[in-house]
Amino acid sequence: MKRLLTIGMFAWFCAGCFFAACPASAKRPATTQRLASAGPRADKSTAAKHSVAVGMTDTVAYFPLLEGRRVAVLTNHTAVADMPGALGADSAGRIHLVDLLYRRGFDVTGIFSPEHGFRGKADAGETVGDAVDPSTGIPIRSLYNGNAQRPSERAMQSFDVLIVDMQDVGLRFYTYHISMLRLMEACAAVDKTVIVLDRPNPNGCHIDGPVLEKKYRSGVGMLPVPVLHGLTMGEIARMAIGEGWVAPCALTVVPCRNYTHSTEYLLPVPPSPNLPTQRAVYLYASLCPFEGTIVSVGRGTDLPYECFGHPSLFGFGYIFTPRPTAGAKHPPLEGSECRGINLSTVPLSDARALGFSLRYLIDALLASDAGEKFFTPMFEKLVGTAYVRVMLLDGATEAEIRARWQPDVERYRVLRARYVLYPD
């Protein structure tokens, strides 16, 4: 079986194993500042170490493509892998992609960083300036530096091949894949090659939610796909080119091994500041729409995306007060006592099975007397359509609203099948 999957290829990769329902990430020491904490805070449950191998580890597949070429990398703190014996690996055998390439002697001319910055510490949407990686001296060019989120012409001429390696979480409004697609378009304009080192989608077993309507395209929604799109970064890159949603570039995907979309994959590091746990990664789909309402999702607490609340929700017993924290310097409802629900005790298996649900949104709306003021304009950008707000305010049930988007999801499933690299 060929190791490389280019945009014109279609292949299935069979998984070697399935995993326990509620495994926990093993903690590993971080020896350089680019490596974040050992992983999303795990439950107390324990499971066998998974055998999924991310694209980064398949060096035979992509190292030859870098020889004699200037290399740029679109990446952040999540581009790590267990590669014992690799030059520069820490005591646990883990290494970051930039260190791997640098120690191997490749000509890495620049690092492009997405939302939250190269080290994954910045707030959502926060402006992050350019910098230099102290470990290697390689310049870091932020795509969130207050400009157009696309590199300058000078930056684009500084490399021959772009490597993309970031841990996405499989939701339409999570911005890492959007940064990738924008850079792919920039590469297409100047005939640069793109190599995506693929990683599993931790929510890959779900395909659900409204499909984005064109009028609601924004920085948190670029493609006409459901909230949970069921694709990896490599697959969504293939789909975007194949459907003409972005200009075609020379694309190569280095796939994961031993992975299927139904594989439960525990993230080795938190993908962003407010998704610090595996449970938060699973609950994100159902709680993120609250970002388009008056309700807090726990930013500025120890449980971001594992709780929600508002001062007016008097029917709820859990109380929290958002305060400035790392990754939430000025959280919504800062300093206000909020009443809501604590979801941090929901079993991990239940959180994973939830997918995209409106149950919490409906509960909060019914407990609030805000009416139309419960929502903000961001709500449509997140859910991707206008009818969800209308139906919620009209008192529709979750089943009734779900029935509205289901035909679009079924059409999307047919489209998706053309581009998947892994079985479901």
Side-chain angles (χ1 to χ4, degrees):
M1 181 178 293
K2 295 182 178 179
R3 290 180 181 270
L4 298 184
L5 289 164
T6 60
I7 189 61
M9 299 171 64
F10 180 89
W12 293 90
F13 283 76
C14 296
C17 61
F18 289 87
F19 312 115
C22 302
S25 299
K27 292 187 176 180
R28 299 180 174 89
T31 59
T32 70
Q33 60 181 310
R34 82 169 85 261
L35 296 184
S37 61
R41 293 195 306 270
D43 282 20
K44 294 181 180 180
S45 57
T46 303
K49 182 179 177 181
H50 60 69
S51 62
V52 170
V54 299
M56 172 185 160
T57 64
D58 195 359
T59 56
V60 174
Y62 66 96
F63 272 11
L65 305 179
L66 310 181
E67 295 289 351
R69 307 178 79 183
R70 298 170 303 160
V71 179
V73 184
L74 170 59
T75 191
N76 59 10
H77 64 294
T78 65
V80 295
D82 293 328
M83 300 180 68
L87 186 63
D90 66 17
S91 60
R94 178 178 289 184
I95 190 170
H96 189 278
L97 174 67
V98 171
D99 294 322
L100 177 68
L101 298 176
Y102 180 77
R103 293 298 188 96
R104 174 61 174 74
F106 290 114
D107 184 13
V108 183
T109 61
I111 300 166
F112 294 109
S113 63
E115 186 178 17
H116 307 297
F118 179 52
R119 292 173 183 83
K121 302 293 187 182
D123 287 8
E126 179 181 348
T127 297
V128 179
D130 294 347
V132 174
D133 177 34
S135 298
T136 61
I138 299 171
I140 301 171
R141 302 181 174 102
S142 172
L143 299 180
Y144 277 72
N145 60 6
N147 296 323
Q149 298 186 353
R150 291 184 66 166
S152 66
E153 181 64 24
R154 181 179 178 182
M156 293 302 300
Q157 294 302 332
S158 69
F159 66 92
D160 303 308
V161 56
L162 174 73
I163 295 181
V164 179
D165 190 359
M166 297 182 290
Q167 179 61 64
D168 196 61
V169 297
L171 279 88
R172 186 187 65 228
F173 37 66
Y174 203 65
T175 61
Y176 291 166
H177 77 274
I178 297 175
S179 292
M180 175 185 69
L181 296 176
R182 285 174 171 159
L183 261 186
M184 285 170 55
E185 287 208 302
C187 286
V190 290
D191 296 323
K192 305 294 184 181
T193 299
V194 177
I195 300 173
V196 177
L197 306 182
D198 217 5
R199 290 179 179 266
N201 175 352
N203 287 299
C205 59
H206 296 290
I207 303 169
D208 201 8
V211 172
L212 179 71
E213 296 176 10
K214 185 176 181 180
K215 65 184 293 186
Y216 295 116
R217 287 187 60 182
S218 71
V220 293
M222 181 177 178
L223 303 181
V225 299
V227 171
L228 286 160
H229 51 65
L231 298 170
T232 65
M233 289 280 275
E235 290 171 326
I236 207 164
R238 286 162 48 86
M239 177 182 279
I241 290 178
E243 293 303 308
W245 297 335
V246 299
C249 63
L251 173 68
T252 296
V253 174
V254 180
C256 306
R257 289 161 290 171
N258 302 325
Y259 170 69
T260 75
H261 287 288
S262 60
T263 299
E264 182 171 20
Y265 181 72
L266 300 180
L267 303 188
V269 298
S272 52
N274 287 289
L275 293 180
T277 71
Q278 190 75 21
R279 184 180 290 100
V281 169
Y282 292 150
L283 294 174
Y284 181 55
S286 295
L287 296 191
C288 192
F290 276 124
E291 301 277 22
T293 74
I294 61 175
V295 175
S296 165
V297 291
R299 292 180 186 268
T301 75
D302 291 335
L303 298 174
Y305 283 103
E306 291 190 67
C307 67
F308 65 89
H310 186 270
S312 69
L313 302 185
F314 292 103
F316 295 93
Y318 179 65
I319 297 176
F320 63 90
T321 302
R323 305 288 187 189
T325 60
K329 296 180 179 64
H330 297 288
L333 300 176
E334 179 180 347
S336 299
E337 186 176 86
C338 299
R339 296 171 177 82
I341 292 180
N342 181 352
L343 300 172
S344 66
T345 60
V346 172
L348 204 59
S349 57
D350 291 351
R352 181 177 184 242
L354 182 64
F356 181 69
S357 174
L358 298 175
R359 68 177 68 171
Y360 302 127
L361 195 67
I362 291 172
D363 288 346
L365 178 61
L366 291 175
S368 170
D369 60 0
E372 177 67 36
K373 293 181 180 179
F374 182 84
F375 299 96
T376 73
M378 177 60 74
F379 186 76
E380 277 69 31
K381 293 179 181 179
L382 294 171
V383 298
T385 185
Y387 66 76
V388 174
R389 181 200 295 226
V390 173
M391 294 183 73
L392 286 169
L393 289 172
D394 285 345
T397 65
E398 177 171 15
E400 290 169 335
I401 301 173
R402 180 175 295 279
R404 177 75 177 268
W405 72 60
Q406 199 58 42
D408 293 334
V409 170
E410 294 308 314
R411 284 188 289 270
Y412 168 78
R413 285 180 182 274
V414 175
L415 178 69
R416 171 183 173 273
R418 303 174 192 169
Y419 303 102
V420 293
L421 303 175
Y422 316 96
D424 290 329

